Amino acid sequence: MATIHDMDVLLLCGGFGTRLRSAIGEKQKVAAEVAGRPFLSFQLERLSQSGFNHVVLAAGFGAEQIEQALSGYHYGMDVELSVEPEALGTGGAIKFARSKGRGRRWVILNGDCFSNVDIPGMIKFHNEKRSLVTLAVAKRDDAYDYGTIEMGADNRITAFREKEKTRTTGYVSVGLYCFEDKAFDLMPSSDKFSVETEFFPKILNNPVYGFTDPGTFLDIGTPERFAEAQRFFRKD
C-alpha cells in the first residue's frame, strides 16, 4: 500500500515556456515570480504540508534559475535536482529521473500547474483500484484548449482525445499523476518522448484510472493564465 511518506515526488520543471515570453522574458517559468514568490515555492509548500519527504525536480532549461529560486526557502523535505543533458520531453524527463527514486511509487506533477487536489484521497483511490497509473482530472468548460479524457462508469480511462475546438466541456488532466514504479518498464525505448501523447494512450490495456476532483486548477502556460495565477495567489 502506497502512503505519502513512502512515495517519491517528481516535479516536472524543464519546460521552455515559449508562450510566456511576453510576460516573463527568458525566465524559467516555474522560477517566475507570482504574487512576489517563485511559482515553484507554492508547489513545494503544498507538498510539504501534505507530508511528503522527498522531491525530485526534473530540470533542464533554466536549471540554475530553479536552484536560485529555491534558496532561502525551507520545506522540511529532501529536494534534489535531476538535470537533463538535453530536452527530453515530459516522458523522457520522467524516465531519466527514475534512478533518483527511493521507493516503488511516485507522485508526478507538472511544475507549471497548481491544483489543490486531495492528494491523500487520490493515493487512497489509486491503492483501492490497484491502478498502474492514476491521473487527477477535472471538468473544464474550456476543454477546447486541452486534450480531453474519456472514462467508464468506474473511472477507468478508456481514451485520450486531442484538442478539439468544437469540444467545450470535458475532463482534462490537471498534471498530477500516481505512478507504480513498474509503469516505467512500459515506457518507449526512446530517451525523448511525451508522456501525454506517446505513453498514456499506449497503456490503456492496463489499469489506468482518473481521479476526479473539483478543486482549483491553475496552469501558467500562457500570459492570460499567468495573470490569472497572480490574481489567485494575491487573493489567497
Side-chain angles (χ1 to χ4, degrees):
M1 278 292 189
T3 67
I4 277 182
H5 300 296
D6 61 25
M7 294 185 81
D8 297 298
V9 178
L10 179 62
L11 204 53
L12 298 172
C13 302
F16 288 99
T18 50
R19 293 182 298 170
L20 263 184
R21 289 284 166 258
S22 63
I24 64 172
E26 294 301 311
K27 192 89 170 174
Q28 161 52 249
K29 58 183 171 179
V30 303
E33 284 203 354
V34 172
R37 290 170 50 183
F39 183 70
L40 179 63
S41 70
F42 293 104
Q43 292 271 39
L44 291 172
E45 185 176 77
R46 173 155 161 69
L47 291 169
S48 176
Q49 290 169 351
S50 296
F52 290 101
N53 297 317
H54 178 227
V55 179
V56 179
L57 306 179
F61 164 72
E64 314 82 14
Q65 295 178 35
I66 292 171
E67 271 195 293
Q68 189 173 6
L70 289 174
S71 63
Y73 290 91
H74 305 285
Y75 303 99
M77 303 181 294
D78 290 336
V79 180
E80 60 178 313
L81 285 176
S82 169
V83 182
E84 305 163 39
E86 58 181 319
L88 300 176
T90 50
I94 292 170
K95 186 177 177 181
F96 184 75
R98 182 186 190 181
S99 63
K100 300 278 189 184
R102 298 174 181 176
R104 302 294 299 168
R105 295 175 176 90
W106 292 80
V107 168
I108 300 174
L109 304 92
N110 287 341
D112 61 354
C113 297
F114 179 89
S115 70
N116 56 8
V117 167
D118 174 12
I119 297 179
M122 182 177 176
I123 294 171
K124 182 173 183 286
F125 173 88
H126 177 80
N127 288 333
E128 289 172 349
K129 294 293 187 182
R130 299 183 183 276
S131 184
L132 178 73
V133 174
T134 299
L135 289 75
V137 300
K139 203 160 194 177
R140 298 279 295 196
D141 292 328
D142 58 349
Y144 56 82
D145 209 23
Y146 301 86
T148 54
I149 292 169
E150 294 187 4
M151 297 182 292
D154 64 346
N155 277 44
R156 184 160 178 168
I157 294 175
T158 57
F160 291 88
R161 304 293 182 200
E162 294 296 318
K163 294 179 185 177
E164 299 174 43
K165 289 300 179 186
T166 57
R167 185 185 294 264
T168 54
T169 301
Y171 283 103
V172 305
S173 168
V174 304
L176 169 60
Y177 322 118
C178 288
F179 262 56
E180 294 295 306
D181 192 66
K182 60 188 176 183
F184 287 84
D185 299 331
L186 301 178
M187 287 183 167
S189 57
S190 169
D191 290 334
K192 299 181 184 180
F193 62 96
S194 161
V195 73
E196 297 88 354
T197 61
E198 297 173 79
F199 177 59
F200 289 154
K202 311 290 187 187
I203 61 168
L204 294 183
N205 58 325
N206 296 278
V208 177
Y209 285 86
F211 176 74
T212 56
D213 191 295
T216 299
F217 167 48
L218 296 170
D219 160 10
I220 63 165
T222 67
E224 296 77 20
R225 293 184 198 140
F226 186 72
E228 181 185 344
Q230 297 278 7
R231 291 191 293 270
F232 174 82
F233 284 109
R234 285 198 183 103
K235 181 178 67 175
D236 194 54

